[in-house]
Each structure stands twice: as structure tokens, then as C-alpha cells.
Amino acid sequence: MGDPTAAIGREPPLSAAIVGGGIIGVITALGLLHRGMHVTIYERATKWPDIGAAFAFTGVARECLQNLDPKILEALSRVAHRSPAETVRYWDGFHPRTKQAAEQDESALFETPEKNLAFWGCLRTRFLLELTAQIPQDKEVVQFGKQLVGYDDGLEEGKDKVVLKFADGTQAEVDFVIGCDGVYSTTRKLLLGADPAAKAKYSHKMVYRALAPMPGAVAALGAAKATVQCLHLGHDAHMVSFPEAKADNEKINNGAAYNIFLFVHDPEDWPDSSSSEKASTRTEVQQALQGWGPHMTELMTLLPEQLSKWAIFDMADHPAPTYASGRVCIAGDAAHASTPFHGAGAGMGVEDSLVLAELLADAGAGSTQERPQRIAAALRAYSDVRLGRTQWLVQSSRDMGDMYQWRYPLTGKDAVKIKAQFLERQRKLWDFDVNAMVGTARKAFEKQVKAMPSNGHI
């Protein structure tokens, strides 16, 4: 019996391998499924990863989610918390010598409008669970326990499929591969080889994450600061803090806990590049804030005696020269791992997903014979369009981390200059035309397709 798709004059759907079952991997998979492609997610863990911390999506990112598949945005809306504040205040954490002085308006360095970026925040794990519930259960979309160890593209040899090789000895054949395997991406290492960008590097920033009792946070910072998100800036460190949201993510649970993210500059090398987490102590945190204002030092006494610190790795030192080679590409943190100081890393990954979904849908519209080269052309166009904006974000986020810690030479401790830099850079994130991005990518793809000779090779 012949191919049923041939009998009705249609080409078979494109087959995709998504390496990595994190947020961007699942979002990309859902976008491709929505466009009728056959998708398999290969996740090295034995179950969906527990990815802990909170993150947020801008208005631009939400527009991309809507365009990928409206069900993705619906899933986010069920777990997201919208900030009730119209502004975010940035406070001096270092100079005030009394708690009373720290609460006065004179200690507020500046404030920025919340409406432009319009963040929706949520816990990563909760959003991932909402997303995975959207995956069709009858199509064997997800395979756990699959550690990628290599692949054979075979594009130049005229092979129809990419062959993936896994640590358990199994293989898989697909039309294309998207590596969404995060900061420590195996796909990136295989794609870039000996290039220094194959491995993300320590940004010399680390973060202590902890929960403090809400009454103690109010006593240390004052009710006005402890009941909203705010930032405290100072020498070689800064803190982002906010009250914990209730389970329904609609109202602030003032009786629960206070979230503390303390970012600290670290001049030393991180001792273990294979692990970003190390055990730490409250004493170590207190030493990092020696000489800071009493409101900050009192808040640190509320931390547990034993806690962890996490190294932040990014790709600022060695940006990837390309995000694609042949029929294999990388997206999200695998392509442009960033520090969190713009709060836009996840949003950039979502933009990647939309461009990939649209271009690969276009690539699949050609004949079966042309598909391998059309897919390669689509991935080259994706890389060309996304390199500039994403790598700007990586470097700018590094810069913002230094500004918040009074280490950036052009701003120092000058709050006026820091605010001006922040607003100028922030605008590049929110004042962005998603449809124009996709249109530009399509034009780049079409240009490469037109250059393809009759044998399908560019």
C-alpha cells in the first residue's frame, strides 16, 4: 500500500526534534504542533524538570505566545501574577544609616514605569505543568531519559534526514533539530565544536535566593517597601525582593513569606563549571553586605543559617557566531544565555520560537526533494535575524548588573545616569514590532530560496 499522503497529493508533515524539555523547548514544540508538524521532545531527565525560580514575560513576549498558539498564552494567564504597581522603585541599600532614613523618599534613587514592559510573572514549574498539559497524549511527543551525544546532518551528502544519537545507544531520524537545552547546551557544543562560544562562561555574578518571614521583612524595610516589588542598589551587590503570591496568583499573601534575590559581584572564578549551585551560609551573605544600611543588614538576619548560592553563566564573553548549521539550530538560553538583569531572557527565547515556527512552516511548503535545503535556508534566516537583538540583550544585561552594583564606569553611583541608561535600554525591549521581525525573517528566507539552483542546493 502506498503513502496515503501521496494519494491525496499532499506532502508528509515535517518532523522535528526538540532537544530539551524546559519552557522554551515545550513552547517551541507547541508552536510547531499548532502548524501541523510531527514533533518529538527529547529530555535527558526522567521526568519534567523542576526548574524552581520565578520569571516573567513582557507584553512583546505575550504577543509572540499568542501568535505561536493562543493556548500557550491562555496557559500563562492561568498561573501568572500581574504586578498591581504602576511603578518600580529603586532604593539606596548602602548609604542610609538608620531604618527610618532608609524609608524616606530621599533614599529612593529613582522609579520606572511598570506599564511599558508589563511583566506577567510566574513560577517556572507551574507554567511548565500548564504547558505540558497542552501536549497531545496520543502522539508520543515526549521521550524522557534521552541525552544527546551526537548527530549526523548529512545535508552536504544529500541525506534526507538528520540522525540524532543518544547516550543509551538509540538513534532517531528527523527533518530538523532545535536545541533548547539551556545554558549548558549539548546541542551548542556539537554545533559550534571548538569555538569558545560552545560553552557559557561565568559572568562573575552570583545570586543567593531565600524566603524570609513577612513580618520580619516589614519590620526591616517598612510596610511600604515590603508589600511591593522593589530593588536596593549598592556597592558590588543589589537585591530584588517582593512578597510571595498566593496560590491563585491574584493577591499578595501578606502573611506568608518575602522573596529575596541578592545578587553579588564575584571577582573569583567559579570553581566548578559543571554545577552552578554551591552551599553557603547566612554569615557569608552578611559579609557580602558589610557596611550596608541597617535595614539591609537586619533583613539578612532573617535568612536561614544554611542556604545555597548560584553562579550565573552567560555568553557575553564569547557570543555564538551563528545559531544554525545545516538543519540543526539552537534557541533560547542554548543560543544566547543571559544574566537576568533585564528580566527578558525568557522573552527572547519566545521570540526565537515564533520566528522558527513561521519559517519552518514556510520551509515545509516546498516539495519533498527541496525540503532539506529549504529547511537549512530557514534556519540560516532565523540565525541572521535573531543574532543582533539577542546578543545585544546578553551584553546589555551584563551592563545593567554592573550599574545596579555601582560598577559601570559610565554611570557609577549616579542615579540619574543609571535611570537614563535603564530607560533607553528598556525601550529596545518593549518598543518592538513582532510582525516586522517575522516579516524580515521571511524576506531573508525567500531570498535564500530564490538563490537555490534547480538541484535544490544553495
Side-chain angles (χ1 to χ4, degrees), residues 127-275:
F127 185 36
L128 184 61
L129 291 175
E130 288 288 335
L131 291 173
T132 56
Q134 308 302 316
I135 296 175
Q137 300 301 304
D138 59 344
K139 294 185 179 180
E140 298 183 350
V141 173
V142 185
Q143 292 193 30
F144 292 109
K146 291 294 185 179
Q147 172 63 59
L148 182 69
V149 295
Y151 66 80
D152 180 11
D153 188 341
L155 181 66
E156 297 303 320
E157 293 78 27
K159 295 181 180 179
D160 292 337
K161 304 288 185 180
V162 183
V163 179
L164 293 91
K165 303 172 184 179
F166 299 99
D168 61 5
T170 60
Q171 297 186 352
E173 292 188 352
V174 293
D175 287 316
F176 61 89
V177 180
I178 303 176
C180 299
D181 42 350
V183 177
Y184 306 104
S185 170
T186 296
T187 314
R188 186 205 309 130
K189 294 172 185 175
L190 294 170
L191 189 146
L192 297 181
D195 192 293
K199 293 184 178 181
K201 300 297 188 295
Y202 183 39
S203 68
H204 293 282
K205 295 286 191 284
M206 57 185 176
V207 58
Y208 300 88
R209 300 198 307 246
L211 290 172
M214 193 66 194
V218 171
L221 300 178
K225 284 198 273 187
T227 53
V228 296
Q229 177 181 331
C230 64
L231 285 82
H232 286 81
L233 313 188
H235 288 293
D236 292 337
H238 73 281
M239 182 182 75
V240 180
S241 57
F242 51 91
E244 186 179 40
K246 290 176 69 173
D248 61 10
N249 283 297
E250 292 300 325
K251 296 180 180 179
I252 299 301
N253 183 1
N254 290 327
Y258 191 66
N259 288 274
I260 295 172
F261 293 78
L262 180 68
F263 298 91
V264 176
H265 179 75
D266 177 17
E268 305 299 326
D269 291 330
W270 190 255
D272 183 3
S273 61
S274 65
S275 175

Side-chain angles (χ1 to χ4, degrees), residues 355 359 376-386 441-442 444-445 448:
V355 172
L359 291 186
L379 297 186
R380 279 195 298 273
Y382 151 75
S383 178
D384 290 346
V385 168
R386 296 298 297 153
R442 280 203 164 107
F445 169 61
Q448 294 203 41

Side-chain angles (χ1 to χ4, degrees), residues 32-63:
L32 298 179
L33 287 166
H34 188 61
R35 287 156 179 79
M37 299 183 209
H38 177 81
V39 179
T40 305
I41 299 172
Y42 296 98
E43 167 56 44
R44 68 179 181 179
T46 56
K47 60 181 181 178
W48 292 114
D50 182 359
I51 42 181
F55 69 156
F57 291 93
T58 63
V60 168
R62 294 197 300 278
E63 182 180 352

Side-chain angles (χ1 to χ4, degrees), residues 92-94 96 98-99 102 220-221 225 232 293-299:
D92 187 340
F94 185 83
T98 66
K99 289 198 298 180
L221 300 178
K225 284 198 273 187
H232 286 81
H295 56 309
M296 295 293 290
T297 55
E298 180 177 324
L299 186 64

Side-chain angles (χ1 to χ4, degrees), residues 364-383:
S367 68
T368 301
Q369 181 183 4
E370 292 179 328
R371 274 184 169 183
Q373 290 295 338
R374 286 176 64 87
I375 289 168
L379 297 186
R380 279 195 298 273
Y382 151 75
S383 178

